[in-house]
Amino acid sequence: MKTLTVICPCYNEKDNVEPFYQEVLKNEEFFSGKGVELKFLFVDDGSHDGTLDEIKKLSSADKRVHYLSFSRNFGKEAAMYAGLEHAGSEFVVIMDVDLQDPPHLLPEMFSYLEEGYDSVSTRRVNRKGEPPIRSFFARMFYGIMKKISRTEIVDGARDYRLMTRQVADAILSMGEYNRFTKGIYGWVGFKTKWLEYENVERAKGETKWSFWKLLVYSIEGITAFSTAPLSIAAFVGALFCLLAFAMIIFIIVRKLIFDDPVSGWPSLVCIILMTSGVQFFCTGILGQYLAKTYLEVKRRPIYLIREEA
Ligand code: UDP
Ligand code: MG
């Protein structure tokens, strides 16, 4: 008998745990027919609304339900990493507990593994039910990433992915502290089948991602999977040198031919403001990379477990 572990990061999801468990179990018959046993691994990411109690209830009633509980909220990335590390089964799937990753896709996803794929990923084809401004920035982010990163990062890709042990181990081998799973998935490669589905709205509760959190996360994605912004300073620097050179020639010639008196300190102020602005901007970019490197060098643990079963 092989095992499929359903890894499920939960942060304040008290009302979603039980319905999610029931929904996944609807596939039980399919999987036992294939000789695959289902196992649950809930990762309680420092919830403070009784989510852990809900999970414990399930765990005491069903021995297939396991859990990890973090010492505080470490974020979904850390929860997914911990889940993969503790799953120890032949197959693993990462799913949101809010039913936005439809469990009824599991049999179809599994059939592709049987066909010889190493992993099956999902992407939503639309962003129905999402604020338009959020969708706009998300599109812009993926557009920029496509241009500046060599790692394939797919627009609308979910973290919902069924994979073999081999792929899970590959993901675990990327032990970086600043984690950006969408990029990590692309980076490890392997034979991946993409499934598409219409966006589903979250079952209960609210999204944990504010606009600000998403913005910070997108910077994470850029610094983790592209060094292109670092070239901006060099590029703009070279451009300004060229421009300055042309101006010098222009001013010398004008002086020689027309003997023009000195004028134009307003334009000088503009130029100083502009160049110093660009300099600060570039220093800021450098700072971003330095900050990420600083955190990486510290080698802090990605998560800390307080309780497990
Ligand atoms: N989540 C988590 N830790 C966090 C934030 C979210 O484990 O700090 C979990 C959350 O419980 C859910 C999944 O990650 O199972 C996706 O979160 P959410 O639905 O808020 O994100 P969205 O679907 O809106 O992108
Ligand atoms: Mg969600």
Side-chain angles (χ1 to χ4, degrees):
M1 199 82 167
K2 293 190 168 175
T3 313
L4 165 64
T5 305
V6 178
I7 297 169
C8 184
C10 309
Y11 178 50
N12 294 342
E13 304 276 8
K14 167 167 73 72
D15 301 326
N16 284 321
V17 173
E18 161 84 21
F20 170 80
Y21 166 80
Q22 298 297 354
E23 203 61 36
V24 172
L25 277 188
K26 286 185 182 160
N27 299 302
E28 199 181 8
E29 215 170 296
F30 170 85
F31 281 104
S32 52
K34 298 273 179 192
V36 175
E37 193 194 8
L38 285 178
K39 213 177 97 180
F40 289 85
L41 179 56
F42 289 97
V43 186
D44 166 38
D45 185 11
S47 306
H48 41 74
D49 70 336
T51 300
L52 185 58
D53 298 330
E54 283 297 314
I55 298 171
K56 280 180 175 167
K57 249 188 251 167
L58 291 180
S59 174
S60 54
D62 182 346
K63 64 175 175 19
R64 295 170 300 178
V65 178
H66 301 262
Y67 62 86
L68 306 170
S69 180
F70 286 176
S71 62
R72 63 167 171 84
N73 177 247
F74 278 88
K76 188 186 177 190
E77 290 288 343
M80 291 191 287
Y81 188 81
L84 288 175
E85 224 169 21
H86 285 79
S89 54
E90 288 83 359
F91 308 108
V92 287
V93 61
I94 297 176
M95 294 176 85
D96 286 5
V97 73
D98 58 6
L99 292 172
Q100 279 193 300
D101 296 334
H104 67 79
L105 288 177
L106 282 171
E108 189 188 350
M109 289 167 83
F110 189 76
S111 68
Y112 286 109
L113 283 197
E114 288 181 309
E115 269 180 34
Y117 284 97
D118 302 308
S119 68
V120 185
S121 270
T122 57
R123 68 179 281 265
R124 36 181 196 174
V125 284
N126 59 9
R127 293 175 169 272
K128 196 182 75 199
E130 200 183 61
I133 178 102
R134 203 168 138 166
S135 304
F136 170 76
F137 278 104
R139 287 227 175 74
M140 204 165 82
F141 169 73
Y142 286 109
I144 293 174
M145 275 313 266
K146 211 182 201 115
K147 294 217 168 61
I148 64 172
S149 174
R150 263 187 265 162
T151 305
E152 194 196 7
I153 292 164
V154 179
D155 187 2
R158 304 276 308 169
D159 295 329
Y160 186 15
R161 179 180 275 224
L162 174 66
M163 56 198 132
T164 60
R165 190 70 245 162
Q166 193 187 17
V167 180
D169 286 340
I171 292 170
L172 285 173
S173 73
M174 297 180 75
E176 57 218 69
Y177 183 77
N178 298 290
R179 303 189 69 77
F180 185 70
T181 293
K182 287 174 179 58
I184 292 176
Y185 280 168
W187 196 91
V188 296
F190 290 95
K191 231 178 116 183
T192 302
K193 173 77 188 171
W194 284 92
L195 286 190
E196 296 186 341
Y197 68 92
E198 297 263 318
N199 191 27
V200 186
E201 285 189 47
R202 144 189 277 282
K204 296 209 175 74
E206 268 172 28
T207 176
K208 308 294 176 305
W209 292 92
S210 62
F211 186 76
W212 180 250
K213 260 179 140 180
L214 275 176
L215 188 73
V216 172
Y217 186 58
S218 67
I219 293 174
E220 189 87 63
I222 293 173
T223 50
F225 285 94
S226 170
T227 49
L230 285 175
S231 318
I232 291 179
F235 177 75
V236 176
L239 194 77
F240 276 24
C241 282
L242 273 177
L243 211 69
F245 188 69
M247 286 293 281
I248 289 167
I249 303 279
F250 172 73
I251 286 167
I252 290 174
V253 170
R254 194 175 62 169
K255 167 78 187 156
L256 291 179
I257 300 177
F258 304 106
D259 196 25
D260 218 20
V262 177
S263 71
W265 91 267
S267 56
L268 198 65
V269 170
C270 293
I271 291 168
I272 290 174
L273 273 182
M274 158 100 176
T275 47
S276 59
V278 170
Q279 273 178 24
F280 276 126
F281 178 66
C282 294
T283 316
I285 292 176
L286 268 177
Q288 278 301 318
Y289 283 88
L290 184 67
K292 298 291 174 204
T293 313
Y294 177 56
L295 286 174
E296 214 63 70
V297 165
K298 286 194 193 193
R299 286 251 139 261
R300 282 180 182 162
I302 294 171
Y303 60 88
L304 291 174
I305 292 178
R306 186 171 166 270
E307 251 181 275
E308 63 183 303

